[in-house]
Amino acid sequence: PGDAEFIAYLRQVQKDDVTEGYPLVLRSALFATAYGSLEHFMTSVCRYIEPKLNGPGLDDLRGEGIQRAYLFLTKVAGAAVPNSNEWQELLLYGKLRNALVHAQGDLTEGRSLAAIQNLAGRVRTFALTENGTGVALSADFTPKFLSTVEAFADQLDKALEHHIFGS
């Protein structure tokens, strides 16, 4: 009887892990993929524009990912990409993405805890554990993040359309 109770307990723990854990893992994976797609898109735009300009190339600039792409677009290409609320949130989302991808959400060793707490307060779609060793993305996280990406993409599109593509 003791074994049967223990096995039933283990099965329940497994069910709870699947019920609660799977959505969190899925949301994290969707977020990391979507953020990576944004980064790839911005870098691709820079690579497309790069041969048409005189000046430093994308690889000549400091920074990484979307920050370097933004720097290239604004400083080298001269596009009026706004330093909007959406852009500022995307920078913070980048810190969250790095924590999830590189430290599995454990913020205790990172220097980004304050920035991620700032983002959590702004978007209210994820929570941090009290000790900073975990991040839980809510069901509203992905739609809110994608809404931010879409708003910034519209801003970027307008800046590129007017300045670089001459429309």
Side-chain angles (χ1 to χ4, degrees), residues 89-149:
E89 283 186 8
L90 288 172
L91 293 175
L92 296 174
Y93 274 118
K95 301 210 181 275
L96 176 61
R97 179 251 175 223
N98 290 342
L100 289 170
V101 170
H102 299 297
Q104 310 225 338
D106 186 347
L107 305 172
T108 57
E109 298 296 320
R111 296 181 301 263
S112 301
L113 179 58
I116 294 170
Q117 287 171 324
N118 178 344
L119 179 63
R122 287 173 94 163
V123 300
R124 303 196 184 285
T125 58
F126 69 96
L128 307 175
T129 58
E130 284 185 34
N131 60 5
T133 60
V135 176
L137 307 180
S138 74
D140 296 332
F141 180 87
T142 302
K144 171 67 175 148
F145 172 69
L146 292 177
S147 171
T148 302
V149 169

